Amino acid sequence: MWQFLARNKHVAAMLGVLGVAAVVVIVLTTRGASHYVVESRPEETEDVSSDPHVFSTYTLPSEDRFMPSIGNGHVATNIFSDTVYMNGLYNGRKGVSRRARIPGYANIRLNSTLTHYPFKPVYSLDTRDGVFKVRVDRDRSIVTQRIYAHRFYTRAIVNQIQVVSKPHVDPNFMHHEIWIPVKLMPGPDSDDINFEERVPEKYDGRTLWSSCGKTKEVEDDTYQPLPVDVCVYWTSVPDHLVVPQHGSRVFTFAMSVDNNRTVAREELLKVLQEDGEELFQKHVKPWHQLYQQSGLDIEGNLNLSKIVNGIWYFFLSSLPSEQSYQPLNRFFGLSPTGLARGGTFDDYEGHNFWDTEMWMFPSILLLYPQYAKILLQYRLDNAYVAAQLAKLTGNKGYRYPWESAYTGVEVTQPCCPEVAEFQQHITGCISFAVRQYLATTRDEEWLKHGGCSIVTNIADFWASRAVINYNTGLYDIENVMGPDEDHSNVTNSAFTNVVAGYSLYLAQYVSCLCKSYYMAKDPDHWADIAWSLALPYNAELDYHPQFSGYPRGEGIKQADVVLLGFPLQYPMNTSTRANDLSYYESVTRGSGPAMTWSMHTIGHLDLEDNLRASALFNKSYLGYVREPFKVWSELRRPKVGAVNFFTGMGGFMQTLVFGYAGVRIHLDRLEITRPQLPPEATRFRVRGIKYLGANLSLDIEVKGAELTVNSLDEGTPLVFYNGRYNVTLLPEMTVTLSGKGPFTIRAAQWKDCKLPDDTIGQNYLRPFGS
Ligand SMILES: *[C@@H]1O[C@H](CO)[C@@H](O)[C@H](O)[C@H]1NC(C)=O
Ligand SMILES: *[C@@H]1O[C@H](CO)[C@@H](O)[C@H](O)[C@H]1NC(C)=O
Ligand SMILES: *[C@@H]1O[C@H](CO)[C@@H](O)[C@H](O)[C@H]1NC(C)=O
Ligand SMILES: *[C@@H]1O[C@H](CO)[C@@H](O)[C@H](O)[C@H]1NC(C)=O
Ligand SMILES: *[C@@H]1O[C@H](CO)[C@@H](O)[C@H](O)[C@H]1NC(C)=O
Ligand SMILES: *[C@@H]1O[C@H](CO)[C@@H](O)[C@H](O)[C@H]1NC(C)=O
Ligand SMILES: *[C@@H]1O[C@H](CO)[C@@H](O)[C@H](O)[C@H]1NC(C)=O
Ligand SMILES: *[C@@H]1O[C@H](CO)[C@@H](O)[C@H](O)[C@H]1NC(C)=O
């Protein structure tokens, strides 16, 4: 993606095209808490908590966009914003499709957080419990507000305000009740949704409100005949909460949102029927279960462990609950700024890009494969639209759009047609994600239900894009753009050709896995094209030019060729890898997006240059992580770009899992090489790695590393190889990883399909006729 810089240039032109509606949307970004906060805020505020899971502060961040979010994969909001978003709710035609704004009936503010009060609130994001808290120590009471998107009652965002009176009081107030002023601030009406009149209803002595409506515009007439329905229910909020002098009380307020009125209403009623503390416990329990399943534990470097905990919290907040009171709706993807953002042109509108598959997916796959499957499902759901796009552009198979939202059609903004036209590598990136999914799960059911088809159709697309070049005897892929968006409409982008080649090889392999139930016409044909695809390589300088004719020395926007080394793991000589890294490091924009430096860090770790790696590791997050809530910006301070930048988080997470912990996914094995501590840490544990049904943990300390088998799938025995001998893994076994490795774990019995060759641009090495 990263049209952000390109976009700014085009904003004026774009506004001309879009007219008034777009202007209104952009104005939305400036709305929020800032109007009401009198104190001026410093540039960065401090996180004063020493708990690695809790980020606390007395002062809110300088800009509202650095406020954290709450979410549960169905609804999400930024704390103190007047906007709520729902999974799959978009408004706007084609390139202006964006998350539709629902007024923030969850935005309940204590007066102490709005005006200069004598009482200074403490604000905390508790990532372990998935809740944002405000605590105010007043003269006569302690008030604690909890705001959370319920992880079981998934349609609901809950506000609970607890008031506890203090025992020693001024005799003057002896018989007075305690009054706590509060205010509901939902913001103006939505510009995206035509809501009908609000309807009041009495329930258990309270007034509930509801309003239903439809989005204003469909995304695409062919694939979305009707606008989307949405219903909101919410509790009315008084001006004051009143508590008797010696009492203590919890007040629960909630809003609920769904496409279906009955579902939204039932959810709200259910929330209100629960006892306050039980309601909270039903939310906390699934969060704790998620963290118990898997995680990255870092000791000795508090800042680092906080950033990591923040990342999992943000990722999981945008992924669906595993258990919910009512069945969940379809999931519409993990977009680069998550579910809590995307109503504006700055935050990628809630669209889905290659970011999902290339940046967020790999770590999610190893720790939470159930979510990796859900992410791939979004692509399967849109396969028929991808088939139409391929047809439209004169190709075969599936061509996935650069950006997609509700229907799966191309929704790239009108500003930037070239990214949509040329960044076709997204289709290869989806296949690369599938490759990793198959490598770690061997999910045969998934192959049967769409997997075989998506892999072979993606290969058909690339086969139809490759054209023979009679001068070289190789296939070229023309008119593309690699991840580096500074170079458009090029031929043989090294990154594109490698993901295309991998896609072709994977189809040959998968055709064999699927052969008993899925017919592929000529699987070897795909491999033949891949084998003969051009891959730019300069033998004299021993490096990969970014594309055919790339002028050496010309600056680039972000990691591109460097991705061949990792994540693509394209085999090359160490000297080539080192040259690619040092050359592209010298020509990449310093202010570029965060994930670039994560990949350079992994490169230097692979080259065993730890000092250089740790310098780039610093570069990959310092200036991108915004205090105090560890929200990520796309660009380094003082620039900002999109917020909260999941893509940068995804790259950083890969540095830890695949870089420092040294885990690598291959089709026939899981490899661990040179597991080591990240800078300044004294212990690093990757808990709950899921591999072929097994649950493994990697424990790295100064004195060495160990692999523990928490459990195994009985049907899939695994063998561990330490470089000298093989050990059959047993439940609860711990093996020591001494030396550098590589240590490998593989299935004892393997289905008999030849692994893909995965060599690209080598046709001249192939004996004639074979
Ligand atoms: C609450 O704050 C508002 C300003 O946002 C102020 O007008 C109002 O008087 C305050 N209420 C109380 C009871 O202090
Ligand atoms: C709404 O949900 C209710 C309860 O789950 C269900 O019976 C009804 O069919 C749904 N309505 C629509 C239009 O889907
Ligand atoms: C994996 O093993 C860990 C450690 O025993 C355990 O806490 C976790 O629940 C297991 N995860 C799953 C998904 O079984
Ligand atoms: C940890 O982060 C804080 C910013 O919140 C910074 O002030 C502090 O220097 C960092 N500590 C270390 C050891 O890097
Ligand atoms: C892309 O390059 C081709 C030549 O390969 C040219 O015909 C075409 O007009 C270019 N497209 C754009 C949008 O620049
Ligand atoms: C890689 O190194 C080997 C020798 O170690 C050499 O024969 C080969 O030509 C090199 N390959 C490239 C692409 O430079
Ligand atoms: C990385 O940053 C930390 C401070 O956060 C610093 O202590 C360390 O020296 C830096 N490492 C390198 C290699 O620059
Ligand atoms: C270990 O197992 C692998 C694969 O099963 C086999 O190829 C290899 O020869 C074995 N190595 C030893 C030393 O037994």
Side-chain angles (χ1 to χ4, degrees), residues 145-320:
Q145 180 183 16
R146 292 167 175 161
I147 313 169
Y148 54 98
H150 207 286
R151 194 93 201 165
F152 179 68
Y153 296 115
T154 52
R155 275 57 176 197
I157 298 180
V158 179
N159 266 272
Q160 290 185 305
I161 301 173
Q162 183 197 47
V163 183
V164 179
S165 64
K166 288 185 174 173
H168 303 291
V169 291
D170 186 330
N172 293 335
F173 289 110
M174 258 328 237
H175 304 292
H176 291 211
E177 293 162 319
I178 297 170
W179 283 42
I180 307 295
V182 294
K183 192 167 182 180
L184 172 64
M185 303 175 73
D189 289 345
S190 174
D191 293 321
D192 297 315
I193 302 161
N194 282 320
F195 276 112
E196 294 155 18
E197 279 296 298
R198 291 159 199 203
V199 183
E201 131 181 34
K202 282 282 177 209
Y203 176 78
D204 199 16
R206 309 178 65 159
T207 304
L208 312 184
W209 291 94
S210 65
S211 180
C212 294
K214 289 176 190 304
T215 52
K216 289 190 176 170
E217 277 186 306
V218 297
E219 186 171 286
D220 179 276
D221 294 315
T222 311
Y223 299 104
Q224 186 189 354
L226 298 169
V228 179
D229 292 316
V230 57
C231 276
V232 190
Y233 275 76
W234 69 99
T235 46
S236 62
V237 176
D239 295 335
H240 295 89
L241 307 178
V242 182
V243 179
Q245 173 49 49
H246 295 293
S248 148
R249 252 197 91 177
V250 177
F251 300 85
T252 298
F253 304 98
M255 71 176 282
S256 64
V257 193
D258 197 80
N259 302 115
N260 179 321
R261 174 193 285 273
T262 313
V263 170
R265 184 170 180 276
E266 281 191 7
E267 200 91 354
L268 186 73
L269 298 189
K270 199 68 197 168
V271 162
L272 298 178
Q273 282 160 15
E274 292 272 0
D275 163 80
E277 203 46 36
E278 271 169 34
L279 178 66
F280 184 60
Q281 288 312 320
K282 279 193 177 165
H283 162 74
V284 166
K285 203 171 135 217
W287 269 106
H288 291 190
Q289 280 170 349
L290 281 171
Y291 291 134
Q292 194 252 338
Q293 275 176 40
S294 301
L296 260 61
D297 306 329
I298 292 170
E299 290 170 24
N301 186 340
L302 180 63
N303 280 5
L304 186 55
S305 66
K306 279 178 172 260
I307 292 169
V308 166
N309 292 334
I311 292 175
W312 284 114
Y313 166 77
F314 289 126
F315 279 6
L316 294 167
S317 297
S318 283
L319 290 166

Side-chain angles (χ1 to χ4, degrees), residues 537 542 573 575-576:
Y537 173 72
D542 187 20
N573 283 355
S575 58
T576 317

Side-chain angles (χ1 to χ4, degrees), residues 605-606 610 655-664 671-678 684 686 689 698-707 720 735-743:
L605 286 171
D606 284 353
N610 281 17
T655 305
L656 291 168
V657 174
F658 303 100
Y660 285 101
V663 178
R664 294 295 158 94
E671 217 170 72
I672 301 166
T673 307
R674 287 204 340 130
Q676 58 186 300
L677 291 168
F684 176 28
V686 187
I689 297 171
L698 185 55
D699 200 339
I700 305 165
E701 291 183 54
V702 180
K703 62 177 166 40
E706 284 178 348
L707 179 78
F720 172 81
V735 290
T736 303
L737 311 181
S738 48
K740 291 183 193 173
F743 310 95

Side-chain angles (χ1 to χ4, degrees), residues 470-584:
Y470 292 102
N471 294 324
T472 59
L474 296 170
Y475 284 99
D476 289 342
I477 298 180
E478 297 172 337
N479 312 114
V480 295
M481 180 194 273
D484 165 30
E485 293 173 335
D486 287 353
H487 292 94
S488 184
N489 203 4
V490 302
T491 297
N492 295 330
S493 139
F495 175 82
T496 306
N497 285 20
V498 173
V499 290
Y502 278 9
S503 307
L504 290 159
Y505 279 121
L506 186 69
Q508 181 196 35
Y509 175 67
V510 158
S511 302
C512 165
L513 294 179
C514 298
K515 66 173 178 278
S516 60
Y517 50 85
Y518 184 84
M519 257 303 279
K521 255 180 272 149
D522 180 10
D524 295 339
H525 166 68
W526 290 311
D528 287 342
I529 295 174
W531 179 268
S532 305
L533 265 183
L535 179 63
Y537 173 72
N538 181 326
E540 199 182 323
L541 297 167
D542 187 20
Y543 90 117
H544 292 102
Q546 195 171 282
F547 50 86
S548 297
Y550 164 73
R552 192 171 158 94
E554 203 163 278
I556 67 163
K557 183 175 174 187
Q558 67 189 84
D560 187 311
V561 164
V562 162
L563 305 180
L564 261 52
F566 192 84
L568 299 183
Q569 304 189 67
Y570 188 74
M572 67 181 86
N573 283 355
T574 303
S575 58
T576 317
R577 183 92 190 271
N579 290 338
D580 281 351
L581 276 171
S582 67
Y583 170 69
Y584 287 105

